[in-house]
Amino acid sequence: MGETESSKKKVKEDLDGKLQLAAPNPDTLEELAVLCAKDPSPDNTFQYAFCLSKSTEEAELRYAITILDGLVKEGYEHQYDCMYGSATALYLLKDYEKARQRCESILRSRPESRLAKELHLASMAGEEEEQKKQVQKMTMGTVAVAALGVAGVVAGALLSKR
């Protein structure tokens, strides 16, 4: 998309802030769950699952993905919104690759979607951050092994002098 790394980071920071503010409160979730139980229509189910897709709880995010993906499979009329909700939940679970893939699916059919573009960029930035963390962990592990090796050599040299 021609975006620089710093602008992707900025988009990610902005989106993270928005999603933090959008986290549903327990009362809202309870109201929607009760409504969905009384009248399990696709629209009520969608409202409940879409609200869950912004939760701070891992189990609720996974449940939202299951419900929203089920609605897509059933041919629910608002499939774009279901896919966006699933992508959001995946993003919050830090499954950036799957979130990015969902956004790419949305953007193939709706290239003008500002929300999908924003989530796509943030997912790319998240993937890059995770890759950097993995490289740092591997580097630290290599340094630790090298330090142990040097310590072993020094200790061996000292013991051999005795």
Side-chain angles (χ1 to χ4, degrees), residues 2-3 8 10 14 35 45 47-49 63 77-78 80 83-85 88-89 108 115-117 120 144 146 150-151 158:
E3 297 291 327
K8 280 191 255 183
K10 176 72 171 123
D14 291 346
L35 179 63
T45 302
Q47 286 180 356
Y48 175 58
Y63 189 48
E77 66 179 307
H78 301 291
Y80 157 76
M83 290 175 65
Y84 179 78
T88 301
R108 277 193 283 283
L115 292 173
K117 285 178 186 177
H120 184 255
V150 169
L158 290 173

Side-chain angles (χ1 to χ4, degrees), residues 12-150:
K12 183 179 183 320
E13 289 172 8
D14 291 346
L15 182 62
D16 289 347
K18 290 177 192 176
L19 290 174
Q20 192 173 21
L21 293 173
N25 67 46
D27 293 337
T28 302
L29 285 176
E30 185 178 345
E31 287 174 24
L32 290 171
V34 168
L35 179 63
C36 192
K38 285 182 183 176
D39 178 18
S41 69
D43 287 335
N44 288 343
T45 302
F46 169 75
Q47 286 180 356
Y48 175 58
F50 197 79
C51 190
L52 280 176
S53 74
K54 293 175 179 62
S55 176
T56 56
E57 300 296 322
E58 182 179 333
E60 290 177 348
L61 293 169
R62 294 198 184 287
Y63 189 48
I65 294 166
T66 301
I67 295 171
L68 292 166
D69 288 352
L71 286 169
V72 169
K73 287 177 186 167
E74 292 171 7
Y76 181 62
E77 66 179 307
H78 301 291
Q79 293 197 0
Y80 157 76
D81 296 316
C82 291
M83 290 175 65
Y84 179 78
S86 289
T88 301
L90 288 163
Y91 176 84
L92 289 170
L93 288 168
K94 297 190 185 316
D95 192 342
Y96 300 120
E97 182 179 355
K98 285 183 183 175
R100 180 185 51 79
Q101 291 169 349
R102 298 276 173 111
C103 290
E104 288 170 356
S105 294
I106 294 167
L107 291 168
R108 277 193 283 283
S109 60
R110 290 199 171 174
E112 75 286 349
S113 173
R114 182 185 56 77
L115 292 173
K117 285 178 186 177
E118 179 183 43
L119 186 55
H120 184 255
L121 285 174
S123 296
M124 289 171 43
E127 275 184 292
E128 290 169 7
E129 283 178 15
E130 290 297 314
Q131 288 171 353
K132 284 180 183 176
K133 286 179 185 176
Q134 286 178 344
V135 168
Q136 287 175 340
K137 283 181 185 178
M138 290 184 346
T139 303
M140 294 302 289
T142 303
V143 169
V145 169
L148 286 173
V150 169

